[in-house]
Amino acid sequence: MSETRTEIQTLGEFGLIDHLTRNFETHNASTILGVGDDAAVIDHFGKQTVISTDLLLEGIHFDLMYTPLKHLGYKAVMVNLSDIYAMNATPTQITVSIGMSNRFSVEAINELYEGIHIACEKHGVDLIGGDTSTSQKGLIISVTAIGEVTPDQFVKRSTASKGDLICVSGDLGGAFLGLTLMEREKKIYLENPQVQPDLENESYIVGRLLKPEARKDIIAFFESQKIVPTAMMDVSDGISSEVLHLCKQSNLGCRIYEEKLPIAEDSRKAAFKFGLDPTVCALNGGEDYELIFTLKQEDHEKITLNEEISVIGYMTELEEGCKLLTKGGNSFAITAQGWNAFQQ
Amino acid sequence: MSETRTEIQTLGEFGLIDHLTRNFETHNASTILGVGDDAAVIDHFGKQTVISTDLLLEGIHFDLMYTPLKHLGYKAVMVNLSDIYAMNATPTQITVSIGMSNRFSVEAINELYEGIHIACEKHGVDLIGGDTSTSQKGLIISVTAIGEVTPDQFVKRSTASKGDLICVSGDLGGAFLGLTLMEREKKIYLENPQVQPDLENESYIVGRLLKPEARKDIIAFFESQKIVPTAMMDVSDGISSEVLHLCKQSNLGCRIYEEKLPIAEDSRKAAFKFGLDPTVCALNGGEDYELIFTLKQEDHEKITLNEEISVIGYMTELEEGCKLLTKGGNSFAITAQGWNAFQQ
């Protein structure tokens, strides 16, 4: 971060918006009118519009003690793009509203917008509007993501069928283990500020927490292989919680195999180091921002060559419940232990 | 408000969303998929999509000491719909994200959503998504409004021409006077809680503050009269500030006549009571949520029969500057004294 400190008041609201958005160019033909008017205008030229929104609050969703502002900006965008991909849609625009207390300087907010900018560039998304305001306490980030989808080609959570394969992208539990590590290091630091953080060899799980990647590649793969999932959602609260959503909304049960849960070697090592069960981390850890989706069995062959996709189980009749089959051959009912912002 | 108090934790995030959205039905054919999935889906069937977003923070944008939650919910929606109308577009959907500390009960949030519901019903708008979360402090409301407009029929701020008439809907300064009254009563109450608030005869300015109305009627009037303003925006920061935006973005100057500024009789009376100049309140008071727009001179006749529209001046060459002509015949440069969230 720069060493100079410019107070936000010196720019004023409109000056700040001009300053923050000066490097953002629009790339999508659908962006008819961007930042600078009462509202933005989009023309998806016959496609349907997909909209999702998320509110990120300091102290609840992020801790600035171990979250660089650039990473936070990047993540705030990714979390929202992930929801758009989870509809089998392509994100095209975002709006970003920021509330910040006077402890933040213009330089600090620049860092945040740099991360937002990188995320937008990477996914070809235009920043088209927002709002900035002072807050009494803490940093508040509200992002709305807009995308497009060929009419009626979006994929809901409620349309899985009995016998469909349950698949997940990437690997699970890494972000939760990264959070566990950061919280541990924070505690050590607060007790003894002389101790340097021990993050060696932990870059994988730290990256999973601080720099999640929305799975654009999976949606592109579906398109290239002419695959349409029967149901899909993103993994934000933990796979247990998401599987239960898919089952409840599709009015079905499921069987998940413990041995099929994709867990990265680095996550497994970290779990053992912290005395945690890697399976529990994979099931209940949140914020992986992977995609969970169901496929017709005849599509199985199409996905076998994609190493980023794991088949973890299949959908069953409602009466069979939602079950986890362990490596030891036991069967347990899956319960949502997912992250819940109201249980903190 | 109900006397029972239900803690938000008893419902959990998903339970709370289900509970709050249970009475919201969708009315627009454009709402293909509403609340309950990763994202909502909209099909404006060939029309362009208009998007605007606003962040409302307790202690900055509203004071719960004199703002009933039902009114706050209503106003949070209106503020956003006003931005959509200001594009000459029709609002069709909103998303609402709420952050709240544990001092709010389910009953309190119900009140907020009742106001949101009334506003949606009144303007034929569908609630299609959002996010709820706990906050460390205070109430946070982020609303994104979505609307539709016939392709390329939206009205920007930057397209006024020299000689165009400057018009404003309704009357000005009322919301600021309502705020002045409420702040005065709050101060009296805090000094002596026995004193009953003196709001008699002040219902007009209180209503202007607590229950603003987005000007759907003006947009409908334009359509019925086949009027397309040359430029338009909504009046949220005060007409001085908005006039300067129109001039700057259209690269023009303007002349505004003090005697033409529409001020309600109740506002005028309140201003005198508080020792304020009604003209200054009209120029610099914020939150009126009226529309300011420019018209070609040949459209003048079309608006003369609409009592809700006042012609307050006209656009001039850039070199002539932005001038207010007073009743006394003096000319002053208009400066933005508008409300600025960073100057508080």
Side-chain angles (χ1 to χ4, degrees):
Chain A
M1 207 175 295
S2 164
E3 281 178 39
T4 55
R5 178 184 165 95
T6 312
E7 299 300 329
I8 287 164
Q9 293 90 317
T10 61
L11 290 177
E13 183 179 357
F14 303 116
L16 180 64
I17 293 171
D18 287 348
H19 171 78
L20 293 174
T21 57
R22 74 198 182 287
N23 292 328
F24 284 80
E25 289 170 11
T26 61
H27 304 293
N28 289 295
S30 58
T31 306
I32 307 296
L33 185 68
V35 173
D37 219 297
D38 292 276
V41 181
I42 297 166
D43 194 332
H44 281 135
F45 302 107
K47 292 203 174 185
Q48 288 174 339
T49 304
V50 179
I51 303 239
S52 179
T53 191
D54 263 301
L55 188 61
L56 297 178
L57 306 178
E58 183 179 351
I60 307 293
H61 301 94
F62 56 87
D63 187 330
L64 288 178
M65 200 160 159
Y66 52 73
T67 312
L69 283 163
K70 198 197 270 190
H71 286 75
L72 180 62
Y74 187 87
K75 182 168 176 173
V77 176
M78 283 303 154
V79 167
N80 277 275
L81 300 189
S82 182
D83 281 321
I84 300 296
Y85 291 125
M87 300 303 287
N88 201 31
T90 303
T92 46
Q93 288 90 9
I94 57 165
T95 67
V96 176
S97 294
I98 305 279
M100 58 210 142
S101 70
N102 57 14
R103 85 174 206 266
F104 294 95
S105 65
V106 172
E107 287 76 17
I109 301 303
N110 277 348
E111 291 278 319
L112 185 77
Y113 268 76
E114 247 185 78
I116 291 170
H117 194 223
I118 295 169
C120 284
E121 291 287 314
K122 194 162 183 179
H123 287 258
V125 163
D126 298 335
L127 179 78
I128 57 163
D131 197 10
T132 59
S133 173
T134 194
S135 77
Q136 285 190 312
K137 194 188 166 206
L139 181 61
I140 297 157
I141 309 174
S142 178
V143 178
T144 297
I146 300 132
E148 62 181 27
V149 66
T150 304
D152 304 321
Q153 291 303 298
F154 57 87
V155 176
K156 297 194 287 184
R157 299 175 174 181
S158 58
T159 40
S161 295
K162 183 193 157 191
D164 285 354
L165 302 172
I166 303 172
C167 306
V168 69
S169 66
D171 57 78
L172 302 170
F176 172 75
L177 287 157
L179 180 66
T180 305
L181 173 68
M182 292 313 236
E183 288 288 340
R184 193 189 67 166
E185 294 300 327
K186 176 182 170 179
K187 196 159 163 276
I188 292 170
Y189 174 83
L190 289 176
E191 282 164 4
N192 186 349
Q194 261 54 263
V195 177
Q196 287 297 304
D198 175 23
L199 301 181
E200 215 178 324
N201 303 321
E202 307 290 13
S203 64
Y204 184 74
I205 59 171
V206 171
R208 292 293 285 170
L209 175 71
L210 297 183
K211 203 164 174 295
E213 281 300 328
R215 298 307 305 247
K216 180 183 189 165
D217 61 320
I218 300 293
I219 303 308
F221 173 76
F222 289 157
E223 200 185 3
S224 71
Q225 299 297 310
K226 304 208 191 319
I227 294 169
V228 180
T230 55
M232 181 156 58
M233 66 184 294
D234 78 332
V235 182
S236 54
D237 292 334
I239 198 97
S240 288
S241 171
E242 319 306 10
V243 154
L244 292 176
H245 278 297
L246 285 180
C247 287
K248 187 184 169 196
Q249 295 195 31
S250 293
N251 212 25
L252 293 170
C254 73
R255 185 156 301 193
I256 302 287
Y257 296 91
E258 182 190 5
E259 61 182 343
K260 302 284 190 187
L261 292 171
I263 302 173
E265 201 43 43
D266 283 348
S267 301
R268 217 175 272 281
K269 277 185 197 156
F272 287 127
K273 195 167 147 191
F274 301 145
L276 297 170
D277 180 344
T279 297
V280 173
C281 296
L283 284 171
N284 298 336
E287 297 216 278
D288 284 321
Y289 298 106
E290 297 294 342
L291 293 172
I292 178 171
F293 52 94
T294 54
L295 287 184
K296 288 188 191 310
Q297 290 189 14
E298 52 260 42
D299 283 336
H300 185 223
E301 208 178 324
K302 291 184 186 172
I303 60 160
T304 48
L305 285 177
N306 190 329
E307 289 184 354
E308 289 294 312
I309 297 175
S310 305
V311 180
I312 61 169
Y314 60 93
M315 303 301 282
T316 61
E317 295 278 12
L318 178 65
E319 293 68 32
E320 297 184 46
C322 299
K323 294 284 167 56
L324 176 77
L325 262 77
T326 67
K327 291 171 188 168
N330 293 314
S331 170
F332 289 103
I334 296 171
T335 53
Q337 304 281 334
W339 188 86
N340 184 329
F342 291 107
Q343 289 178 342
Q344 295 216 320
Chain B
M1 207 175 296
S2 164
E3 282 178 35
T4 54
R5 178 183 165 96
T6 312
E7 298 302 328
I8 286 162
Q9 293 91 318
T10 61
L11 290 176
E13 183 179 356
F14 303 115
L16 180 64
I17 293 171
D18 287 348
H19 172 77
L20 293 173
T21 57
R22 74 199 183 288
N23 292 329
F24 284 81
E25 289 170 12
T26 61
H27 304 294
N28 289 294
S30 58
T31 306
I32 307 295
L33 185 68
V35 174
D37 219 297
D38 293 275
V41 181
I42 297 167
D43 194 331
H44 282 134
F45 302 106
K47 292 203 174 183
Q48 288 174 339
T49 304
V50 179
I51 303 242
S52 178
T53 191
D54 263 302
L55 188 61
L56 297 177
L57 305 178
E58 182 178 353
I60 307 293
H61 302 93
F62 56 88
D63 187 329
L64 288 178
M65 200 161 160
Y66 52 73
T67 313
L69 283 164
K70 198 196 269 189
H71 286 74
L72 180 61
Y74 188 88
K75 182 169 177 174
V77 176
M78 284 303 155
V79 166
N80 277 275
L81 299 189
S82 181
D83 281 321
I84 301 296
Y85 291 125
M87 300 302 287
N88 201 32
T90 304
T92 46
Q93 288 90 9
I94 57 165
T95 67
V96 177
S97 294
I98 305 278
M100 58 209 143
S101 70
N102 57 14
R103 83 175 207 267
F104 294 95
S105 64
V106 171
E107 287 75 17
I109 301 303
N110 276 349
E111 291 278 317
L112 185 77
Y113 269 76
E114 247 185 78
I116 292 171
H117 194 222
I118 293 168
C120 284
E121 291 286 314
K122 194 162 183 178
H123 287 258
V125 163
D126 297 335
L127 178 78
I128 58 163
D131 197 10
T132 59
S133 173
T134 195
S135 77
Q136 285 190 313
K137 193 187 167 207
L139 181 60
I140 297 157
I141 308 175
S142 178
V143 178
T144 298
I146 301 132
E148 63 180 28
V149 66
T150 303
D152 304 321
Q153 291 303 298
F154 57 88
V155 176
K156 297 195 287 185
R157 299 174 174 181
S158 58
T159 41
S161 296
K162 182 193 158 191
D164 284 354
L165 302 172
I166 303 172
C167 307
V168 68
S169 66
D171 57 77
L172 301 171
F176 171 75
L177 287 158
L179 180 65
T180 305
L181 173 68
M182 292 313 236
E183 288 288 341
R184 192 188 69 165
E185 294 299 326
K186 177 182 168 178
K187 195 158 164 276
I188 293 169
Y189 174 84
L190 288 176
E191 282 165 4
N192 186 349
Q194 261 55 264
V195 177
Q196 287 297 304
D198 175 23
L199 301 181
E200 215 177 325
N201 303 321
E202 308 289 13
S203 64
Y204 184 73
I205 58 171
V206 172
R208 291 293 286 169
L209 175 70
L210 298 183
K211 203 164 173 294
E213 281 299 329
R215 298 308 302 248
K216 180 183 189 164
D217 61 319
I218 300 293
I219 303 307
F221 173 76
F222 289 158
E223 201 186 2
S224 72
Q225 300 297 311
K226 302 205 190 324
I227 295 169
V228 180
T230 55
M232 181 156 58
M233 66 184 294
D234 79 332
V235 183
S236 55
D237 292 333
I239 198 98
S240 288
S241 171
E242 320 305 10
V243 155
L244 291 177
H245 279 297
L246 285 179
C247 287
K248 185 184 171 198
Q249 296 196 29
S250 293
N251 212 26
L252 293 171
C254 73
R255 185 154 300 192
I256 303 286
Y257 295 91
E258 182 190 7
E259 63 182 342
K260 302 287 188 187
L261 292 172
I263 302 173
E265 202 43 44
D266 283 348
S267 301
R268 216 175 272 281
K269 278 184 196 158
F272 288 127
K273 197 167 147 189
F274 302 145
L276 298 170
D277 179 345
T279 296
V280 173
C281 296
L283 284 171
N284 299 335
E287 297 217 279
D288 283 322
Y289 299 106
E290 296 295 342
L291 293 171
I292 176 169
F293 52 93
T294 53
L295 286 184
K296 289 188 189 310
Q297 291 188 15
E298 53 260 41
D299 282 336
H300 185 224
E301 208 178 323
K302 291 184 185 171
I303 59 160
T304 47
L305 286 177
N306 190 329
E307 291 185 350
E308 289 293 312
I309 296 176
S310 305
V311 180
I312 61 168
Y314 60 93
M315 302 300 282
T316 62
E317 295 278 14
L318 179 65
E319 293 68 33
E320 297 185 45
C322 299
K323 295 284 167 56
L324 177 76
L325 263 76
T326 66
K327 291 170 187 168
N330 293 313
S331 170
F332 290 103
I334 295 171
T335 52
Q337 305 281 335
W339 189 87
N340 184 330
F342 291 108
Q343 290 178 341
Q344 293 217 319

